[in-house]
Amino acid sequence: MPWRFDAFEAYKFCAAVPSVHRRTIASVPRYFHTLVASRTTHLGTLTPLRLVTSAHRCPIASVPRCFNTLSASSLLNITFMNTSGSEEEFCNERTSLMTTESPPLSSYHVETGISSLEDTQTKARCPITNESNNREARHEGVSVERDSTADSEDEEMSLKYGAKHVIMLFVPVTLCMIVVIATIKSVSFYTEKGGQLIYTPFTEDTTSVGQRLLNSVLNTLIMISVIVVMTIFLVVLYKYRCYKFIHGWLILSSLMLLFWFSFMYLGEVFKTYNVAMDYPTLALVIWNFGAVGMVCIHWKGPLQLQQAYLIMISALMALVFIKYLPEWSAWVILGAISVYDLIAVLCPKGPLRMLVETAQERNEPIFPALIYSSAMIWMVGMTEHSAVQQPSHQETNSDEEVGQSHHDNTEDNRNMVVPETEVHGAQSRTTSAVELEEERGIKLGLGDFIFYSVLVGKASATASGDWNTTLACFVAILIGLCLTLLLLAIFKKALPALPISITFGLVFYFSTDNLVRPFMDNLAAHQFYI
Amino acid sequence: MTTSVFFGCTFIAFGPAISLFLFTIARDPLRVIFLIAGAFFWLVSLLLSSLVWFIAVQISNKENASVQKGLLIFGVVLSVLLQETFRFSYYKLLKRANEGLMALSQEDAMPISIRQLAYVSGLGFGFMSGAFSVVNILADSLGPGTVGIHGDSQHYFVSSAFMTMAIILLHMFWGVVFFDACEKKRWWAVVIVVLSHLLVSCLSFLNPQYEGSLIPAYVVMCVMGMWAFSSAGGSFRNLKLCLTCRDKDFLLANHRPR
């Protein structure tokens, strides 16, 4: 029942948004996602009080990279999404529980996600955040006697919720890799030599090993410099507030991915399985797929559908890379891009770091259209009050603008939020079992998905150790991701997601292919078991 | 070979392990993470043992078949010892991590007990070991070919699948017994675990005489299973209560809200 209620709220919100909230289009889906994601609350809950899409830091560093790729694609008909996951915005349970004591203002600014284009709304944000703060404070006042128990449960919950976040990223990364591996193993198109991208002009069909190595290094240099130039271009665009340009770019690139690349993919799958297909049906299928994808990614759509689309386009992109990057260049590029990721996100003068800081200064999120988010909102212990609070929501819902009173986004909502706060406050006073918990989602840039899948796909395409190498790279990447998330929980700032995973992946690829494979082959030949 | 051989062997080899994963581990994210970490540790141990074996092969006489076989046997023994060493180091790591977490939180109970960790890590080791042993064989079973055309055993696939299942379950039991023995400082039990692992691996040298390798392996598996069950706190009485659905703790545990 609360599940349906949440969904209802979500849809009402969707209806309300265009009329009331003049957000940038890119930021809208995020609200919806977290809203719809509230369905996943595991204890029957009410609508979330706050729209929580991210932790208090902007998921920034990864996005600019995706612009590099998008710009490249739109110019040169090849998309190249380098969104590396520096935007792993991770708010573990400790910080989210700590907000009840000292709510950070900036987090609400981020959460409300209003573009700074709407400067008038920034003023509206402050009273709204105060509202939220008041609500928090009220809850805090109520639950002050429970602080000790709350603290003691903090760590356990932060570990559990931290683990939940890790799994929330493991699943999509695994799915993307499975799609790529399945395609590589069955559709031979992506393993055939079909020419090279213009970013990697040097061929690898040379006679000597040294020449080949040199060519691959040169290819890498060209590729990385293109990425650097695009990133800097993006930072400049962002600094000078050319949002429309960036939006147009994004839309153009995802258009190409969703229509052109998926058309190619479908064509190759049909060829592999010898399926006869007529053009009208194909056009209908591609049109529907692409149109729904554009709507889901750039506007509104159910969270899981959006996640599925993001996984699919990452897989498509990774397949393009696997096909068009020559072998040695691919490995050197993977290594170089992790180094670049590390530098760009962590160095003070790195472009991605500058982007993060600019976005934080302006208190706005960066275009979420190309970030995978797995936001979740929970509320604990309010099941018995759902019936009581429903009427209050219903009343507010009658006014279409309010929709979800948990969206403290506009001034319009503010007055409506008050009765709800009082209701909540009263409820929290009456029952000591009420505890507000919010869990923020975790975000990973699509570039991370792409490069992880490129690594695993290349491993399964070219390794002579076949499945052993693929498995080893898969486990290595997952462990690298786990370690990165652990570091994120410790340092609580944007971190690059590529270096650790790619390093582990590369180490395990080369060592499994060259050392483990002959050992295991010999063992299997004699049927020895270790 | 046919797809029925493929599916049959896959389910024989991975059936118990996957069902254990789905029913006991998949719901809890923390356990999944420790499972994958266990798999990673096994992988690293395999890597090191392969490295040593590779170096030994490179410096030896590659033409001499008996030398190569001897080196392979040496590789197997080394691999087993390294696996157990890594199991021990994983145990130490988990203990330290758990202690750190307990120090941070002020509560008494750890989010995951050392017994659950033993089970999960053992299963992680088992998954990876089984996967590396059998996945290539399964992939080959989908393609064309004739089994044993050069006079080798006809039962290659099925025996591999059964051996893999035994190995996966054995790793799980070894994990439970090993961690329990380390907790209680019973080093003789640790030695027995290592020796039984060596025994099972060395029995596989008897392949393709599967009676010599499979049957003792299953016997060892049953013995280890019972030992693991009792060291995890099980007893005949518990088992009876559980099977006749009269175990109140178990029933309560299954009906707790998720």
Side-chain angles (χ1 to χ4, degrees), chain A residues 152 155-156 159 167 524 527 529, chain B residues 105 107 111 156 201 204 207 210:
Chain A
S152 65
E155 290 311 319
E156 167 157 356
L159 179 67
I167 297 298
Q527 256 191 319
Y529 283 87
Chain B
S105 77
E107 58 175 53
Y156 185 79
S201 288
S204 69
N207 282 332
Y210 299 123

Side-chain angles (χ1 to χ4, degrees), chain A residues 50 100 136 156 164 170 243 288 298 331 381 387 405 460 465 530:
Chain A
R50 270 195 292 288
T100 62
E136 294 279 328
E156 167 157 356
K164 204 173 269 286
F170 272 9
Y243 296 124
N288 277 313
H298 291 280
W331 298 114
S405 43
S460 79
I530 52 169

Side-chain angles (χ1 to χ4, degrees), chain A residues 41-88:
Chain A
T41 56
H42 70 313
L43 297 177
T45 67
L46 299 171
T47 53
L49 288 182
R50 270 195 292 288
L51 187 59
V52 186
T53 57
S54 59
H56 44 278
R57 284 186 183 75
C58 301
I60 297 170
S62 67
V63 179
R65 190 128 347 118
C66 61
F67 289 128
N68 306 334
T69 63
L70 296 180
S71 62
S73 77
S74 58
L75 292 174
L76 298 160
N77 203 34
I78 301 282
T79 359
F80 182 114
M81 288 202 278
N82 261 336
T83 53
S84 186
S86 0
E87 32 82 56
E88 290 185 34

Side-chain angles (χ1 to χ4, degrees), chain B:
Chain B
M1 285 79 44
T2 59
T3 47
S4 58
V5 168
F6 169 74
F7 280 112
C9 289
T10 308
F11 292 143
I12 290 174
F14 290 112
I18 290 186
S19 38
L20 279 169
F21 174 78
L22 283 177
F23 290 125
T24 58
I25 296 182
R27 291 269 168 83
D28 191 347
L30 212 51
R31 292 182 197 170
V32 175
I33 292 171
F34 284 118
L35 182 99
I36 298 182
F40 180 71
F41 268 73
W42 187 90
L43 199 60
V44 176
S45 82
L46 178 68
L47 204 75
L48 285 177
S49 52
S50 310
L51 179 67
V52 174
W53 175 83
F54 191 78
I55 294 174
V57 162
Q58 294 303 317
I59 60 181
S60 76
N61 179 8
K62 290 203 190 154
E63 307 302 317
N64 194 339
S66 62
V67 164
Q68 294 304 309
K69 188 151 184 190
L71 275 179
L72 202 61
I73 292 176
F74 161 71
V76 168
V77 172
L78 178 70
S79 177
V80 169
L81 293 173
L82 270 176
Q83 282 176 47
E84 297 304 324
T85 311
F86 270 80
R87 204 195 297 273
F88 183 70
S89 58
Y90 192 43
Y91 166 76
K92 280 284 176 208
L93 182 73
L94 288 176
K95 281 292 278 184
R96 207 164 292 174
N98 252 341
E99 275 158 21
L101 280 170
M102 290 236 299
L104 283 176
S105 77
Q106 281 96 26
E107 58 175 53
D108 303 321
M110 304 193 288
I112 182 166
S113 73
I114 202 77
R115 276 197 189 142
Q116 288 181 23
L117 281 175
Y119 162 66
V120 158
S121 70
L123 198 57
F125 270 57
F127 259 122
M128 214 53 193
S129 169
F132 264 63
S133 305
V134 93
V135 166
N136 272 335
I137 296 173
L138 289 175
D140 286 339
S141 77
L142 268 178
T146 308
V147 190
I149 198 168
H150 292 297
D152 300 308
S153 165
Q154 297 273 319
H155 307 294
Y156 185 79
F157 289 130
V158 175
S159 63
S160 299
F162 275 107
M163 193 67 184
T164 307
M165 174 173 86
I167 293 274
I168 296 178
L169 292 177
L170 269 170
H171 268 289
M172 185 181 73
F173 299 143
W174 282 327
V176 173
V177 174
F178 194 98
F179 277 44
D180 187 62
C182 287
E183 282 283 294
K184 298 188 178 132
K185 305 267 187 264
R186 285 195 210 141
W187 305 115
W188 57 268
V190 174
V191 170
I192 292 187
V193 165
V194 177
L195 287 179
S196 66
H197 193 169
L198 270 174
L199 176 70
V200 171
S201 288
C202 293
L203 280 173
S204 69
F205 296 154
L206 293 173
N207 282 332
Q209 274 140 11
Y210 299 123
E211 316 81 44
S213 66
L214 269 181
I215 296 176
Y218 272 82
V219 168
V220 173
M221 184 183 86
C222 292
V223 170
M224 292 301 303
M226 290 191 287
W227 190 1
F229 182 67
S230 69
S231 75
S235 66
F236 187 60
R237 186 180 154 275
N238 278 352
L239 191 63
K240 216 166 49 157
L241 282 177
C242 183
L243 288 176
T244 53
C245 293
R246 266 191 266 140
D247 189 341
K248 294 214 170 42
D249 292 332
F250 180 70
L251 292 172
L252 273 174
N254 274 1
H255 286 114
R256 69 173 182 271
R258 286 190 212 133

